[in-house]
Amino acid sequence: KAGPDAANGAAVKLNAANDLTVTEIATNGTALGGNISLTAGDNISLGGNLTATGGTAAGGAVTLNATGTTIAATIIDSTGTGGDSPVIITGTVEGSGGTLTIVANAANVTLAGAIGGNDALALVDITTTGAATLRLGGSITATDIELAAVTSAVVLTGDVTLTSTNNDVDLQLAAAGIDATTAGIEGLAISTGSGDVSLPVVGTTA
């Protein structure tokens, strides 16, 4: 577990050539401090929450840069007194029965890889609002996919399938709609079993 260290900007930056195991990290920085950056050559294993607080909106970002990330019950919160900051996950996310909650509010969220592709999660819950953008580059597979708190734009950077187990998928409050990065390239499929699907305008870029 790593905690706040105001004297050093309260930033946490960890790099591993192979695997990286982290239980919990919380920062409380000033100015540009408060960022959490985890990089691994192979896999990041998260046993707890990541809470990043910066003194300005430029601080308090969370970046996970690895081939894959394994979670149990993880909350990633990049909101704080200085403003909301981005959350970026570059690889896949796995965790059989695990839960992933991302709270970025008015900051961007980028999920570049598949979530639950091999081991479905129990819950994926994302909050992005206002002028922010949720970027999805891979599919999400979970018993419950909670996207009703996504009121930002949604942009597909790859083909995406959202798969829940008889639970609703609700993206209707994504005010700017759901768009491909390039017209006619990225696609969206949704499978909810007996669950309902609620969407905003889809494909303004075609």
Side-chain angles (χ1 to χ4, degrees):
K1 180 175 180 179
D5 180 2
N8 293 304
V12 174
K13 184 176 183 179
L14 301 176
N15 294 278
N18 297 306
D19 294 335
L20 176 63
T21 299
V22 174
T23 54
E24 183 175 351
I25 299 175
T27 63
N28 188 7
T30 59
L32 301 181
N35 294 326
I36 297 173
S37 176
L38 306 180
T39 300
D42 294 321
N43 189 72
I44 297 172
S45 179
L46 291 179
N49 300 330
L50 303 178
T51 304
T53 301
T56 69
V62 177
T63 302
L64 305 181
N65 183 19
T67 301
T69 298
T70 303
I71 65 168
T74 298
I75 299 173
I76 299 176
D77 189 338
S78 63
T79 66
T81 55
D84 305 322
S85 301
V87 173
I88 300 171
I89 302 177
T90 62
T92 61
V93 177
E94 301 288 352
S96 180
T99 61
L100 175 64
T101 300
I102 298 175
V103 183
N105 289 349
N108 296 335
V109 172
T110 300
L111 304 176
I115 297 177
N118 294 317
D119 297 307
L121 275 60
L123 170 69
V124 174
D125 190 338
I126 301 172
T127 299
T128 56
T129 61
T133 300
L134 170 60
R135 292 182 173 85
L136 298 176
S139 298
I140 299 176
T141 304
T143 302
D144 191 8
I145 302 174
E146 292 290 338
L147 301 176
V150 174
T151 61
S152 63
V154 177
V155 175
L156 308 178
T157 60
D159 291 333
V160 173
T161 298
L162 305 179
T163 304
S164 74
T165 305
N166 301 322
N167 285 302
D168 299 348
V169 170
D170 184 357
L171 269 167
Q172 64 181 322
L173 296 181
I178 302 172
D179 285 306
T181 299
T182 304
I185 300 299
E186 296 82 13
L188 174 65
I190 301 176
S191 175
T192 62
S194 61
D196 295 332
V197 176
S198 301
L199 298 176
V201 175
V202 177
T204 59
T205 60

